[in-house]
Amino acid sequence: MPYPYQIKTYDQYKQAYQKSVEDPEAFWADIAEHFYWRKKPSGKILNWNFKEPKIEWFKGAKLNITENCLDRHLEKNGNTPAIIWEPNDPDEKPRIISYKKLHEHVCRFAHVLKNNGVQKGDRVCIYMGMIPELAIAILACARIGAIHSVVFGGFSAQSISDRLMDAQATFIITCDGAYRGAKDIPLKNVIDDALIGNKTVKRVIVCTRTRIPVSMIKGRDVWWEEEMKRVEEQGLNFIEAEEMDAEDPLFILYTSGSTGKPKGVVHTSGGYMVYTNYSFVNVFQYQPGQVHFCTADIGWITGHSYIVYGPLSAGATSLMFEGVPTWPDAGRFWNIIDKFKVNILYTAPTAIRSLMGFGTAPLDRKDLSSLQILGTVGEPINEEAWHWYDENVGKKHCPIVDTWWQTENGGILISNLAGVTPAKPSYATLPLPGVQPILVDENGKEVEGNNVSGNLCIKFPWPGMLRTTYGDHERCRTNYFATYENLYFTGDGALRDENGFYRITGRVDDVLNVSGHRIGTAEVENAINMHAGVVESAVVGYPHDIKGQGIYAYVIFKGEGIEESLAKKDILQTVTRVIGAIAKPDKIQFVSGLPKTRSGKIMRRILRKIAEGETQNLGDTSTLLDPGVVDEIKKGKI
Ligand code: PRX
């Protein structure tokens, strides 16, 4: 069997789970045996306390993750496709890159990075579209021990600038532009804006994709292709991988929290590798030769773990798609599945709901018979979408895995294992081996038994968990480990049914989940408040048929003589500038005041209920400074 640690029966799952709880160190040391280490894990496998927090897996062991993702497959599977790339335009030729070729590209680009002065530990910001060079850039950083920080192509110059500063990044890899559906996104222009006033970035490497005009600044900007050509001409097709400690950082990925500033979640080399691989092989029950299609963008954690590191460390064939599900038409996914005989499809409920809106016609005459396993991620999946996916895409013969996890987790924590453990619509079901969930009430008291609900925490470390938030360990502690003593708090609420299956009910903090993207309400408020006419704002989520959650903004606006609809457009433009279009409110309501307690705290609970359409049971409003404001807000609801 190719993956000796692949669980094949429900009983095996139960045994593995039990072992992972009884002796986690022995359990993970056994799994770690199946990787290539320069120096194998030995002695103490795990050091931890959640107080500081301090989490170290396999410390002292040495490896380079790219030797596991590339080199070790070369001898037997060098010609196996590592990446199948489908471009945005269905008429453009796809690219199929074998492990051998990918290894070569990564080695060459690693030389390019070195030639441009990148060293182990340097932070490299990557802002690219979904082209194979993005995966190559990531792996090349890992090859030489540089820490990559990928920023999703939808973020604004301001967001990039904040992230560059926070990570003290000295290098950027970008593209001239990116294609996304009918749009061309001028990535390099955005980077140029982000770099105004920046003093730390020494070099920008620009890869060609859309051929839009870009300004190349002498001494700072270089072309990817020219740099690669030089290396190629010198015959530099190999580079020795940097030896990394298992606990050396591999990457930073920024994610939103309940404060206004995104956090740089830090993942390390050894634990992250073991966990993404283990979860990939088990949740999706991957078999060699299968084509795995994860539709996420590599700018998010799902792309990091289940397009790049998980599949490649398992020698899998990973399909990478540049476009969007609905362009040029709503049959895009189905065409790709048909064209490349995709076996595993991993997507987001928001994509499923949006495709549902087009009915089943786009699926007609598409051969989806290659599909064996379906997955969802990013947000709770409603039963209707689950059944549509099951019936129309999986034709009722593909197990669906509902995978719950977070940027901070590195890999999937709660999910059924495809066809091995039971599925239940809208339930993530059971924890993976090594994952010990617990539900607590607001006081941190464990909620025991079944048919209960509470706040979801994890009580023991797993190898893929975050180690810190970049440059601010205290922030990591207060965000995740201080709410409840000795527990990692996920920020999610969950219920546990009579079988012990978990259903994730959504965030219990001020974080929204819009189309599977995490956005902090405080972040959006900060952006809205930057508009000159805005006095104050409050942002809440409300149920949205396609996006899962929509953004509802209550705004006190004092612009003189400006038409309301124009003022709202200005606010949207401000949010787009400050964060990016993904954070634009769906609804903006101008109000004369916000419901506040006497101590000045905004009563978001009331605003949330009004946004949800509730007018009667708003709870206790007697503590409000000015209860009258609630009636006004109710009347003006959009
Ligand atoms: O609320 C949960 C939701 O997405 C959040 C994590 O967002 P992010 O870090 O951006 O990572 C998304 C992709 C891993 C969680 O706190 N979430 C994720 N997966 C599910 C989910 N909610 C319900 N069911 C899921 N399967």
Side-chain angles (χ1 to χ4, degrees):
M1 192 166 82
Y3 310 110
Y5 47 93
Q6 192 171 55
I7 294 164
K8 300 308 294 178
T9 65
Y10 197 9
D11 274 346
Q12 276 177 19
Y13 161 77
K14 289 178 192 157
Q15 283 159 18
Y17 191 79
Q18 198 180 352
K19 182 174 172 201
S20 78
V21 172
E22 282 169 6
D23 194 349
E25 293 191 46
F27 177 81
W28 288 111
D30 280 355
I31 308 288
E33 281 290 317
H34 302 284
F35 294 82
Y36 174 69
W37 303 85
R38 296 274 186 95
K39 179 169 177 275
K40 285 192 169 200
S42 62
K44 196 97 187 83
I45 296 297
L46 167 67
N47 283 303
W48 74 288
N49 72 68
F50 278 173
K51 227 178 176 51
E52 295 176 53
K54 172 177 165 177
I55 299 124
E56 292 172 345
W57 282 95
F58 315 116
K59 194 170 168 71
K62 306 288 178 196
L63 77 155
N64 185 290
I65 195 166
T66 69
E67 289 186 326
N68 286 274
C69 289
L70 300 169
D71 304 59
R72 70 165 170 160
H73 309 309
L74 295 185
E75 198 184 322
K76 286 204 185 117
N77 294 313
N79 295 322
T80 301
I83 293 177
I84 297 177
W85 178 71
E86 169 71 6
N88 183 56
D89 180 348
D91 293 330
E92 189 181 335
K93 210 166 152 287
R95 282 164 67 186
I96 297 181
I97 305 172
S98 67
Y99 273 94
K100 196 159 157 281
K101 274 281 164 214
L102 185 60
H103 179 262
E104 205 173 279
H105 291 314
V106 169
C107 284
R108 283 188 195 141
F109 194 64
H111 276 293
V112 168
L113 292 176
K114 286 216 152 172
N115 290 346
N116 281 281
V118 184
Q119 293 178 1
K120 179 178 179 180
D122 285 342
R123 274 80 55 217
V124 179
C125 170
I126 304 180
Y127 185 67
M128 299 173 82
M130 282 287 284
I131 54 174
E133 282 69 18
L134 167 53
I136 292 167
I138 285 176
L139 292 164
C141 286
R143 188 79 176 175
I144 64 169
I147 302 168
H148 57 78
S149 165
V150 182
V151 177
F152 172 63
F155 280 113
S156 69
Q158 179 68 53
S159 294
I160 298 167
S161 167
D162 293 346
R163 285 158 173 77
L164 288 171
M165 299 274 270
D166 189 80
Q168 290 291 298
T170 39
F171 297 88
I172 297 180
I173 309 169
T174 189
C175 296
D176 50 358
Y179 295 122
R180 196 174 304 135
K183 293 190 201 135
D184 292 2
I185 297 142
L187 297 179
K188 174 62 165 59
N189 282 355
V190 180
I191 289 291
D192 288 340
D193 288 348
L195 284 178
I196 295 170
N198 179 295
K199 299 229 165 17
T200 50
V201 171
K202 300 180 207 158
R203 186 74 83 233
V204 181
I205 303 177
V206 186
C207 183
T208 309
R209 174 63 184 133
T210 59
R211 281 253 159 246
I212 53 158
V214 292
S215 75
M216 293 294 282
I217 305 293
K218 196 181 291 165
R220 189 194 72 185
D221 301 350
V222 295
W223 288 108
W224 171 297
E225 292 76 11
E226 285 179 11
E227 296 293 302
M228 281 292 255
K229 196 160 160 242
R230 204 165 309 138
V231 166
E232 207 180 328
E233 279 167 4
Q234 290 167 24
L236 299 172
N237 298 331
F238 177 77
I239 194 166
E240 196 60 55
E242 187 75 32
E243 188 168 288
M244 308 292 283
D245 190 278
E247 277 300 320
D248 280 340
L250 174 65
F251 67 84
I252 304 171
L253 188 56
Y254 283 87
T255 189
S256 297
S258 41
T259 59
K261 201 171 150 249
K263 308 176 280 264
V265 167
V266 176
H267 285 289
T268 54
S269 301
Y272 176 80
M273 170 183 77
V274 170
Y275 197 75
T276 48
N277 177 288
Y278 182 79
S279 52
F280 172 73
V281 162
N282 280 296
V283 171
F284 300 106
Q285 290 289 303
Y286 186 81
Q287 297 301 322
Q290 286 184 327
V291 176
H292 172 79
F293 177 17
C294 167
T295 70
D297 191 289
I298 292 179
W300 310 108
I301 191 69
T302 306
H304 281 60
S305 300
Y306 299 110
I307 295 178
V308 182
Y309 289 114
L312 298 183
S313 67
T317 297
S318 183
L319 196 152
M320 185 175 169
F321 170 45
E322 187 185 34
V324 296
T326 48
W327 189 87
D329 58 50
R332 197 65 176 103
F333 278 0
W334 324 130
N335 279 331
I336 296 174
I337 292 164
D338 192 345
K339 181 164 163 188
F340 297 106
K341 305 291 162 238
V342 168
N343 306 107
I344 304 168
L345 173 66
Y346 188 32
T347 192
T350 188
I352 300 169
R353 286 192 297 263
S354 114
L355 293 171
M356 269 169 76
F358 293 87
T360 52
L363 287 143
D364 291 345
R365 291 189 300 280
K366 300 288 153 56
D367 181 6
L368 304 186
S369 62
S370 57
L371 281 176
Q372 294 172 323
I373 283 151
L374 305 177
T376 71
V377 60
E379 50 181 316
I381 180 162
N382 48 314
E383 287 201 34
E384 195 192 351
W386 194 98
H387 286 294
W388 190 88
Y389 199 30
D390 181 37
E391 283 159 28
N392 298 296
V393 183
K395 316 286 183 203
K396 285 194 146 293
H397 70 79
C398 299
I400 298 178
V401 287
D402 177 352
T403 67
W404 171 83
W405 58 298
Q406 314 174 293
T407 304
E408 295 84 349
N409 307 157
I412 297 162
L413 292 197
I414 304 184
S415 171
N416 48 319
L417 310 183
V420 171
T421 64
K424 181 173 174 180
S426 80
Y427 279 72
T429 72
L430 296 170
L432 263 67
V435 177
Q436 301 188 32
I438 157 174
L439 297 179
V440 297
D441 64 19
E442 314 73 273
N443 304 316
K445 196 169 166 303
E446 178 166 7
V447 183
E448 288 178 272
N450 287 341
N451 277 323
V452 289
S453 61
N455 290 343
L456 179 63
C457 295
I458 315 285
K459 63 180 175 194
F460 196 86
W462 63 99
M465 78 187 296
L466 87 164
R467 302 300 195 259
T468 187
T469 45
Y470 192 81
D472 193 349
H473 194 61
E474 176 59 12
R475 197 152 175 235
C476 175
R477 190 187 71 80
T478 50
N479 260 289
Y480 307 105
F481 299 92
T483 317
Y484 305 113
E485 210 181 332
N486 285 326
L487 296 175
Y488 164 81
F489 178 40
T490 64
D492 279 320
L495 56 84
R496 192 166 49 220
D497 77 357
E498 61 283 3
N499 300 311
F501 290 1
Y502 287 88
R503 175 186 196 157
I504 313 303
T505 45
R507 303 288 303 195
V508 293
D509 53 8
D510 290 325
V511 173
L512 306 179
N513 194 326
V514 181
S515 300
H517 299 153
R518 223 162 114 175
I519 298 168
T521 52
E523 236 179 298
V524 184
E525 287 165 8
N526 287 349
I528 294 175
N529 295 349
M530 284 180 77
H531 187 284
V534 172
V535 179
E536 199 180 3
S537 66
V539 164
V540 296
Y542 71 96
H544 187 287
D545 283 350
I546 290 174
K547 298 179 177 184
Q549 258 188 322
I551 304 179
Y552 197 117
Y554 298 92
V555 177
I556 306 177
F557 191 79
K558 285 281 173 331
E560 301 260 311
I562 302 177
E563 203 186 307
E564 188 170 313
S565 68
L566 195 59
K568 287 183 180 173
K569 282 187 191 147
D570 288 347
I571 290 174
L572 293 179
Q573 185 60 22
T574 310
V575 175
T576 307
R577 276 255 167 235
V578 178
I579 307 176
I582 51 169
K584 275 199 305 200
D586 299 272
K587 294 182 180 181
I588 298 177
Q589 181 182 346
F590 282 173
V591 295
S592 67
L594 292 166
K596 286 189 180 171
T597 61
R598 287 190 181 90
S599 59
K601 205 168 160 271
I602 297 173
M603 296 275 275
R604 288 168 186 285
R605 177 176 50 81
I606 294 175
L607 294 174
R608 247 189 314 263
K609 287 208 163 171
I610 297 174
E612 283 165 8
E614 175 75 61
T615 50
Q616 298 304 317
N617 305 314
L618 297 180
D620 184 12
T621 54
S622 63
T623 55
L624 287 180
L625 195 58
D626 174 13
V629 83
V630 174
D631 284 329
E632 180 216 303
I633 295 176
K634 276 199 300 197
K635 280 200 199 98
K637 182 184 174 292
I638 299 168

